[in-house]
Each structure stands twice: as structure tokens, then as C-alpha cells.
Amino acid sequence: MNSPRLTVFAFLCAAATASAAAPVARWDFNEEDTSRAVAVGAVQRDVPGPRPPMFPDFERRNTAAKFGGAGAHLALADPGPGSGFDFTNGDTITLEAWVEVEGHNASDNLYIIGKGRTGAPGFAADNQNWALRVRSMGGKFAVNFLFATPRSATATQRDAHWHRWTSTRTFASGSGWHHIAVTYRFGDPASIRGWLDGAPTAGSWDMGGPTTAAPVVDDDAIWIGSSIKGSATASFRGSLDGVAVHREVLPEAELKARYRRVGPATTVAKAAPAVMPEVGAIPAGRVLATFHEGMPTHDRWLNEGEKLPAETMRWS
């Protein structure tokens, strides 16, 4: 197996300082991106992002970044103590992104962006300052917000230091581009708000539940697309655009205006029937293996309307 490739890409990232007028950081993955970020694993630039005519607010050749799962991510070092990426009680946050998810597993908690929980030496394993994810719920994906507080010696449950909010509204894998967002004031669990495709969504806390305690804060890195040392169940599969971190609660009117779509919803692809391909006669007592390059993706069988690529080699 080849080891993960380490590549340096350029991405747009605002200065990591608090600002009420601009995001702490934003990644639009366009050709004019100027700051440096480190890409680990299968991160592909310049793939199509949301574009007209379906999404008229974007440029005609708008681009995104595609993440292949299996630990693929972008890593951004935290500038240090008190940076714009550090949030504690009283601080407000808005996390948002455009997502196009490919594939679905029951155990998915796919990271869009998060601070901490990278597994880096010198940091606690559960040092999640904040994270925006999509969580598998009933065969679809929900908007998910997660952070950790310091462990308590008197806690009666193992996950009491985790605080996870999940939206009630969901979207299907393979249903095209969606805009998701979460706004929150740390220390005020009633302030949580979730957004999916320009509409607010209710949700609920679980694990340690709502809390007024402050989150864990340290100088661990910010990762886009994965977490937990690159765990497969935490690694995003699909494309991302417009990933942003704000130190304010964006106005409702602004979040509603984020999503403008023209035309019908994207039809979710259906799996093609599992039919044995025609391989010809196989001699008795032998095993035949055929090789086909150029499958649509690595993590599923064919969908309706897709064809098995031509055979490139066989072995008996």
C-alpha cells in the first residue's frame, strides 16, 4: 500500500485574528488562493464546485476541493495562544460550508472542519475546541456540531465531557451540493442554531448534553476533511467549498441568502442491480480474475446508468 502523499497546496485563508467584519478564515479553493496549507492524502484541487445555472450566485467556473476519505485532509497550524481560532465561554462562532457528500456508512461522522482531536503528540486525545461535521442519521446526513470540555473526576458516564448537537433536518448522500452552518455562543447551550440549505433547523444535544462549561482550548491544529489521526469514519468523502470560521453569529438574513438554487432537486442515484458480468467460459478447476480500470468511485458498486469499464487485464 502506498503511504499518504504529502503535498503543499495554496488556499485562501484570512489572517487568524478576531474580526467582526471578516471571517477568521475562509477556504474557497479558487485559482487566486494565496496562503499555504498542507494537504495530506487524496486531496484534489480544481474540481467543479457549485455553479450556475443551478447556483446563480457562483462564478461560471467556480472550483472546489475533493477529499478521498481515508484520512485525506488539509492541516493548518494554530498561530498560538489567543489566536482567532481559539474559542472559550462568551465567544460566538459561526461555522459554515458547502458540501457534496459521496457514499454513506452507518457509522459516519464526517469532519468538515475542526480544531483539535488530531492525535498529534503533546496534545490530549479529546481536545476538541470545536468542529462542524455531517453525521449519519437514518440513512441520511444531519448537520453536526461538537466540542469537548475538561474531564470531570466525578462524571458518571464516559462521554460526559463530549457535547454534540445534531440537526433534525437531513439530506441524502449523492444529492448534490448543500450549504450547512451552525452558530453558537459558548457557555450558552440554548444559543445553538443550525442551518441547512438556507433554512433553520431544530436539533438536540446528546452525549454529555448541553453545558455552560468552557470548552477545551490549546494550540492543536485545524484540520479540514478529517480528524482522530485520519480515522476512516471521520474522513470526508466528496467535495467542499466555502468552508469558513467566523467569530460572530452571522445574521439570519445572511445565512438564508447563502443558498439560492434554480431548478429541481438533484435526484439521488440508485444502485444498479447486482448482476454477474459476462466473463466467458472458465475452465473447470480454475479461477478467473478480471481487472477493470476507471470505476466511477472506489467505495461503491455501479449506479443505474453507469457501465462497467472495459476489461484491461485478466488472470487465471
Side-chain angles (χ1 to χ4, degrees), residues 21-42:
V24 176
R26 183 179 180 89
W27 290 264
D28 285 312
F29 309 114
N30 55 42
E31 295 178 357
E32 290 76 30
D33 293 339
T34 57
S35 68
R36 295 169 66 87
V38 176
V40 179

Side-chain angles (χ1 to χ4, degrees), residues 69-92:
H73 67 277
L74 301 176
L76 180 69
D78 183 22
S83 79
F85 293 108
D86 296 343
F87 288 81
T88 190
N89 271 8
D91 292 337
T92 54

Side-chain angles (χ1 to χ4, degrees), residues 218-252:
D218 58 25
D219 295 333
D220 202 356
I222 297 89
W223 277 19
I224 298 174
S226 189
S227 188
I228 322 173
K229 298 183 179 181
S231 167
T233 60
S235 297
F236 190 83
R237 303 179 304 275
S239 300
L240 296 174
D241 198 10
V243 180
V245 181
H246 306 260
R247 292 193 72 91
E248 62 178 325
V249 173
L250 292 185
E252 289 192 6

Side-chain angles (χ1 to χ4, degrees), residues 43-89:
V43 181
Q44 181 182 353
R45 279 205 60 186
D46 299 329
V47 302
R51 293 179 174 180
M54 184 175 291
F55 298 102
D57 294 334
F58 286 86
E59 295 181 356
R60 182 176 62 87
R61 297 181 63 83
N62 177 51
T63 56
K66 187 170 184 176
F67 295 76
H73 67 277
L74 301 176
L76 180 69
D78 183 22
S83 79
F85 293 108
D86 296 343
F87 288 81
T88 190
N89 271 8

Side-chain angles (χ1 to χ4, degrees), residues 193-234:
R193 297 288 186 274
W195 293 81
L196 174 57
D197 293 343
T201 172
S204 60
W205 294 96
D206 69 347
M207 303 182 82
T211 182
T212 58
V216 174
V217 186
D218 58 25
D219 295 333
D220 202 356
I222 297 89
W223 277 19
I224 298 174
S226 189
S227 188
I228 322 173
K229 298 183 179 181
S231 167
T233 60

